[in-house]
Amino acid sequence: MNEFDLIGRYFARPARRALLGVGDDCALLAPPPAGEVLAVSVDMLVEGRHFFAGVDPHTLGHKALAVNLSDLAAMGAKPSWFTLALALPRADEGWLAAFADGLFALADASGIELVGGDTTRGPLTISIQVAGHVPAGGALCRDGAKAGDDVWVSGRLGAAAMAVRHRAGELALPVEVLARCAERLDRPAPRLALGERLRSHASAALDVSDGLVGDLAHICEQSRLAAEIDWTCVPVDPALQDMPEPLRQRAALAGGDDYELCFTAAPAERDAIAAISAELALPLTRIGAMRAGTGVTVRDASGRLLDLGRGGFDHFSSP
C-alpha cells in the first residue's frame, strides 16, 4: 500500500460543505457566513510525549481531533473543517482502520469534515489543524476578564492526570478507578456546545490542557489581573475521592489533560450560567474570582496558600 492508496482507503471522503476536499493539491473552501470570522488552531501529538506507545488507535483518533476541537470550544467557535498530517513508522492497515474510525466518529458527531492533509514515514506523529467560525467580535479571548469576575470551570478535574501517572508507573490505581481515569484521558469531550453558549455570558475563556492553575495564569497575564481560587470549590473527579488530599490537589489543579473549559464572567451572569449548566447537563462550578494583581493563588480550607510550583505542564521545562 503506497501513500495514495493509504489516503484513498482510510481518509478520502466526499466533500459535504467544502467546495473541494481530499484528493487535490489544495482544498477549496467557501468563506465564513457574513458577519463571522474564521477561528483556526493546530496541535501536534507525538508518541512518547503526548501519548504512550501502544495506545489504542481508535481512542487515539478520537483524542487527536478532540484536543483541537477543544481549542475551538474555548473561543466559542462552531467547527467547520480540519486537515490531518500523519507520520507513521509503517502502514499498518489494522491500526489505520481503527484510527480513522475513532477520528471520523468524533468528526461526524461534531459537524466537522476532513478536507486534506499529508502522510509520510517517520516516528508516530499526528498534527491536526482545525477551523471554525464565530461572530465577528464574539470570540472568547483570554484578555477579556475584569476585576471582580467569577472564575468557573466545567466538568470534573484530575482523573486524566491520575491515568497518566498510572501508565507511567508512578502509582497503581484500582481497576475500577483506572477505568474511569483512562476514559477521561483517552476520550476527552470537547465542550463545543458550552463554548457557543458562553459567548453572550463569559468575559474570557480557555481550555484546560496543561493544568488548571497553569492555564488560568494565561488569562491572568493577558487580562493583567490575578486570580484567587478556593480549593474547597474545585470540582474533583469522584474517582479520586479516596485518595490523599495532596494527591488530589496536584491532579486537579496542575495535572492537565482535562480539556474542560475555564472561564470568567461577571457575578450578574450566575443565573444564566446555572441555566446553561442545567440545559447541557454539565457541571459548571464557580471556583474563585479575578482580582487586581498578578498570578494565580490557591487557598485551602483553612485559608493557607497552596504551593503548586509551576502549576502545570510545559513541553520544554517539564520532564
Side-chain angles (χ1 to χ4, degrees), residues 12-307:
R13 296 174 123 197
R16 292 173 295 169
R17 290 181 301 278
L19 303 178
L20 181 65
V22 175
D24 219 303
D25 288 311
C26 293
L28 299 179
L29 309 169
E36 301 204 344
V37 295
L38 281 175
V40 180
S41 181
V42 62
D43 266 318
M44 182 185 302
L45 278 71
V46 179
E47 185 178 54
R49 189 62 176 171
H50 301 92
F51 59 91
F52 290 92
V55 69
D56 174 67
H58 189 279
T59 60
L60 182 59
H62 171 98
K63 185 168 185 176
L65 182 56
V67 302
N68 285 273
L69 290 173
S70 185
D71 287 329
L72 291 180
M75 300 291 286
K78 186 178 183 63
S80 51
W81 55 262
F82 72 103
T83 60
L84 168 68
L86 185 62
L88 298 164
R90 61 189 179 280
D92 181 320
E93 296 186 30
W95 190 98
L96 281 161
F99 176 84
D101 282 349
L103 180 83
F104 285 124
L106 181 58
D108 292 343
S110 304
I112 193 168
E113 68 177 329
L114 179 65
V115 297
D118 191 25
T119 59
T120 190
R121 182 188 294 273
L124 182 55
T125 304
I126 306 154
S127 182
I128 290 178
Q129 182 182 54
V130 291
H133 49 91
V134 62
L140 296 171
C141 301
R142 299 177 179 185
D143 62 357
K146 304 290 188 295
D149 280 357
D150 297 324
V151 178
W152 297 79
V153 71
S154 67
R156 309 293 186 193
L157 307 179
M162 295 307 298
V164 171
R165 296 193 64 179
H166 176 94
R167 289 178 180 174
E170 297 176 10
L171 48 75
L173 297 176
V175 173
E176 65 278 6
V177 174
L178 175 59
R180 163 63 181 172
C181 292
E183 177 72 10
R184 292 291 291 125
L185 175 64
D186 294 335
R187 300 187 64 82
R191 303 303 187 185
L192 291 163
L194 174 61
E196 290 188 54
R197 283 160 177 77
L198 287 177
R199 287 199 305 251
S200 301
H201 305 286
S203 53
L206 46 62
D207 71 329
V208 180
S209 56
D210 295 324
L212 175 64
V213 170
D215 285 327
L216 179 55
H218 299 312
I219 288 180
C220 292
E221 181 180 2
Q222 294 294 319
S223 295
R224 300 182 180 181
L225 291 170
E228 186 168 296
I229 302 304
D230 181 350
W231 159 246
T232 64
C233 295
V234 174
V236 182
D237 195 284
L240 280 61
Q241 64 184 356
D242 295 328
M243 298 179 185
E245 187 167 48
L247 197 60
R248 295 170 67 243
Q249 289 172 343
R250 171 59 58 178
L253 295 170
D257 269 301
D258 292 301
Y259 295 100
E260 296 292 348
L261 297 190
C262 177
F263 59 96
T264 61
E269 300 290 347
R270 290 175 185 175
D271 288 346
I273 292 170
I276 293 170
S277 177
E279 176 196 355
L280 299 179
L282 174 66
L284 301 177
T285 307
R286 183 160 49 92
I287 61 172
M290 303 299 294
R291 303 283 187 245
T294 59
V296 181
T297 56
V298 184
R299 296 187 181 275
D300 65 13
S302 64
R304 292 174 299 186
L305 289 174
L306 295 179
D307 181 8

